[in-house]
Amino acid sequence: MRTPLAAVGLVALGVLLMANPLFLPVSVGEPNPAYTHTVQPVGEGSVAGIESPATGAANGSDAENDTNASDAVVAYADLAPDARAAFDRARDAPEGGFGVEDPDERVDSLSYPTEPTLGDGLLIVERDGERYEFWTRTVEREPGAVVAQRVFLQPVAFLVGFLAVVAGAAVGLRGRLAGE
């Protein structure tokens, strides 16, 4: 009588542990935002769809889109002084950008959306005859405890659950094979 009960208990425990993505991760805190500033030259693979002045206008677009693309270009001198400083800092950074975590360190004249679009988080800045994509965005990072749950706790719980199901099946089969 104990063997079938043990087998059912192990299988039930295993299924519960294997289903852990349904109830984990438990939110343990607010996302930790970071505010990024990135500058890269506008090129052929440009996300903004605008090429440098040397190669012409927008990538594979018609005349109407060319006009809209040229309207989206901002002269470096037209940027606010704090935006120019952020642009220069991002352009001169070895990684092509920098981030800040304190909301007070953001540049007031720039927007920081989570999904940048042309004109809102993405500016095409022309400086010294060169065009650059100037990205500003908010990146929401998860708290460390949630990351630990996803990287360590969930895989371990799934593995233990799988082993519990295998052990439950083995206990159940052992009892049948032994003739209990």
Side-chain angles (χ1 to χ4, degrees):
M1 181 68 182
R2 286 180 131 185
T3 302
L5 187 59
V8 169
L10 282 170
V11 169
L13 176 66
V15 168
L16 180 66
L17 287 172
M18 287 174 61
N20 75 66
L22 297 176
F23 54 86
L24 287 177
V26 177
S27 180
V28 292
E30 292 295 317
N32 183 13
Y35 308 99
T36 63
H37 308 77
T38 309
V39 172
Q40 62 188 22
V42 174
E44 284 200 28
S46 171
V47 175
I50 301 172
E51 292 186 10
S52 64
T55 59
N59 291 333
S61 62
D62 57 17
E64 181 180 327
N65 286 340
D66 289 349
T67 304
N68 292 339
S70 63
D71 291 343
V73 177
V74 177
Y76 176 77
D78 292 341
L79 292 174
D82 53 354
R84 281 195 303 259
F87 176 87
D88 291 338
R89 181 177 172 196
R91 196 183 90 193
D92 295 338
E95 309 86 36
F98 70 96
V100 295
E101 295 187 17
D102 186 3
D104 295 334
E105 293 180 31
R106 295 183 298 180
V107 177
D108 292 334
S109 61
L110 298 172
S111 63
Y112 293 86
T114 55
E115 300 286 330
T117 57
L118 193 57
D120 183 29
L122 170 58
L123 298 174
I124 305 302
V125 178
E126 186 166 352
R127 180 177 184 190
D128 300 329
E130 296 288 325
R131 289 186 178 177
Y132 299 91
E133 294 178 4
F134 183 29
W135 294 81
T136 55
R137 72 184 94 191
T138 300
V139 179
E140 292 188 1
R141 299 175 297 178
E142 294 180 329
V146 173
V147 173
Q149 285 177 336
R150 289 192 177 155
V151 171
F152 181 72
L153 186 60
Q154 283 184 332
V156 168
F158 185 85
L159 180 63
V160 170
F162 177 76
L163 294 175
V165 168
V166 170
V171 167
L173 288 175
R174 183 180 59 100
R176 283 190 168 189
L177 293 175
E180 291 181 14

